[in-house]
Amino acid sequence: RTEPKHKQLIVKILKSLDEIAAMTGDGVNDAPALKQADIGIAMGIAGTEVAKEASDMVLADDNFTSIVAAVEEGRSIYNNMKAFIRYMISSNVGEVAAIFLTAALGVPEGLTPVQLLWVNLVTDGPPATALGFNPPDLDVMSKAPRRKDDPLISVWSYVRYFVVGAYVGCAVVGIFMYWYIFDVAEDAHSLVSLEQLLTWGSCQDWQGFRVNNVGGISFSSDPCAYFTDGKAKASTLSLTVLVVIEMLNAFNALSEDGSLIQMPPWANPYLIVAATISIGSHFVILYIPALATIFGVVPLTMHDWMLVMAFSFPVILIDEILKFIGRSTAKSINLKDKHA
């Protein structure tokens, strides 16, 4: 056992080394050390009232394993807060990147304001909320304690946000351009060259430009309207890729550095339910004509959905690579600290 005066000395030394000091005690004489510590822990059954008053935490069952469970729960809550931030920032960076790329390349706008509002208010909400129910990481208690001055968002986190967000933007704009340039679909829409798509604003000056009718719209009198009135399918593909990528990105956020193989999506059933609600809401606006008109979208065929998945799924692979780099870096840092 440690004498009360020695407890105070231990706490003082630890705090002088800039460490977070936790101290347990049950007697009246332990009160000064409990008060001096960053986290004072008193016994709920055997502890005196003075010790309880001086403490920050009271063990109701006098069992020290409860402290371990509390630390695990605290680390899990902290990680879930970071998961929410990681999901929201990377998704929003993707939307900003998509708008920026559209303006920089000069292609027609793939996403309308009402579509972006739908994604932010309805589609993003359920998965972001469900991330708060993530289970603890498998190695949550094997990680070294973080320092009190550690930032909530590290430099590496910012790199991950940028990389994932940049891919989201490229995928959203990429599928829009793919539909105009490469996609040979059942609707027999006309394909244009990359140069034509990038300079569509000067379409009126093109000689002999003709396109097929698409979606019941005739472009015989004004073929240039193909880039505005005729972009409904391309715009729908862009919106759907954004929605699907954000659902996959939510599954990526299950663990900061853990692979989806280690922590599969069903580890958080609430997230599966939330993603189902979001995708179901998107189906509603796609396949109910009245809502499709409001949001400026059209129904997608099986060919279209395969195209959407081809552009969306790589976000899983990209984040898995980033997680592997994060795990490897953390492992090498831990080895250096052990040898130091």
Side-chain angles (χ1 to χ4, degrees), residues 138-337:
L138 298 177
D139 60 345
V140 67
M141 293 303 290
S142 63
K143 293 181 178 179
R146 60 184 176 86
R147 299 184 61 83
K148 62 182 179 181
D149 56 349
D150 282 351
L152 180 62
I153 303 175
S154 64
V155 175
W156 173 241
S157 297
Y158 282 116
V159 172
R160 286 180 61 176
Y161 299 156
F162 175 78
V163 172
V164 173
Y167 177 75
V168 173
C170 290
V172 170
V173 177
I175 197 169
F176 184 92
M177 297 177 67
Y178 181 92
W179 185 84
Y180 270 105
I181 301 172
F182 300 109
D183 186 36
V184 180
E186 298 172 357
D187 58 6
H189 67 276
S190 299
L191 301 182
V192 299
S193 67
L194 176 61
E195 182 182 1
Q196 287 176 320
L197 185 59
L198 297 180
T199 59
W200 68 278
S202 58
C203 172
Q204 299 291 347
D205 301 329
W206 298 345
Q207 298 295 326
F209 179 66
R210 294 288 183 271
V211 293
N212 298 333
N213 298 335
V214 179
I217 303 175
S218 175
F219 301 106
S220 56
S221 59
D222 184 14
C224 293
Y226 183 54
F227 297 105
T228 53
D229 298 338
K231 68 177 182 179
K233 174 61 75 69
S235 180
T236 304
L237 289 171
S238 288
L239 175 63
T240 305
V241 162
L242 180 59
V243 170
V244 173
I245 279 185
E246 293 195 359
M247 295 307 102
L248 297 177
N249 201 24
F251 292 126
N252 283 336
L254 274 168
S255 174
E256 183 173 11
D257 289 322
S259 170
L260 279 174
I261 298 174
Q262 297 172 314
M263 186 173 285
W266 51 87
N268 184 354
Y270 296 102
L271 184 57
I272 295 178
V273 172
T276 302
I277 291 173
S278 295
I279 293 294
S281 301
H282 188 63
F283 267 77
V284 168
I285 69 168
L286 286 182
Y287 296 104
I288 293 182
L291 293 176
T293 302
I294 294 173
F295 287 95
V297 295
V298 295
L300 298 181
T301 64
M302 183 58 67
H303 166 80
D304 298 328
W305 279 106
M306 292 176 65
L307 200 58
V308 166
M309 292 309 301
F311 275 83
S312 303
F313 188 76
V315 75
I316 294 283
L317 304 179
I318 291 171
D319 207 56
E320 286 292 309
I321 293 172
L322 294 173
K323 286 180 179 180
F324 175 77
I325 295 173
R327 289 196 302 270
S328 302
T329 304
K331 206 173 282 185
S332 63
I333 292 174
N334 289 338
L335 285 175
K336 287 181 181 178
D337 291 342

Side-chain angles (χ1 to χ4, degrees), residues 10-168:
I10 291 171
V11 170
K12 184 177 180 180
I13 293 172
L14 287 174
K15 294 185 76 171
S16 69
L17 296 173
D18 205 25
E19 299 286 351
I20 302 297
M23 183 59 69
T24 60
D26 56 5
V28 174
N29 293 337
D30 293 326
L34 294 174
K35 194 71 175 177
Q36 184 181 356
D38 293 293
I39 305 171
I41 306 170
M43 303 298 107
I45 299 174
T48 62
E49 290 301 320
V50 175
K52 293 177 185 178
E53 288 292 331
S55 300
D56 302 290
M57 180 192 301
V58 178
L59 294 180
D61 56 1
D62 284 11
N63 191 342
F64 280 12
T65 58
S66 299
I67 300 176
V68 179
V71 171
E72 182 178 10
E73 184 67 20
R75 289 188 176 189
S76 178
I77 292 171
Y78 182 79
N79 288 342
N80 289 351
M81 182 170 60
K82 291 175 69 176
F84 174 86
I85 294 172
R86 185 165 60 251
Y87 170 69
M88 293 304 296
I89 291 182
S90 60
S91 297
N92 288 329
V93 167
E95 294 172 17
V96 172
I99 296 170
F100 174 79
L101 281 174
T102 299
L105 295 174
V107 297
E109 292 182 358
L111 297 172
T112 64
V114 70
Q115 291 171 347
L116 287 171
L117 192 63
W118 169 261
V119 171
N120 284 313
L121 294 183
V122 180
T123 310
D124 281 355
T129 304
L131 287 172
F133 298 94
N134 281 350
D137 287 346
L138 298 177
D139 60 345
V140 67
M141 293 303 290
S142 63
K143 293 181 178 179
R146 60 184 176 86
R147 299 184 61 83
K148 62 182 179 181
D149 56 349
D150 282 351
L152 180 62
I153 303 175
S154 64
V155 175
W156 173 241
S157 297
Y158 282 116
V159 172
R160 286 180 61 176
Y161 299 156
F162 175 78
V163 172
V164 173
Y167 177 75
V168 173

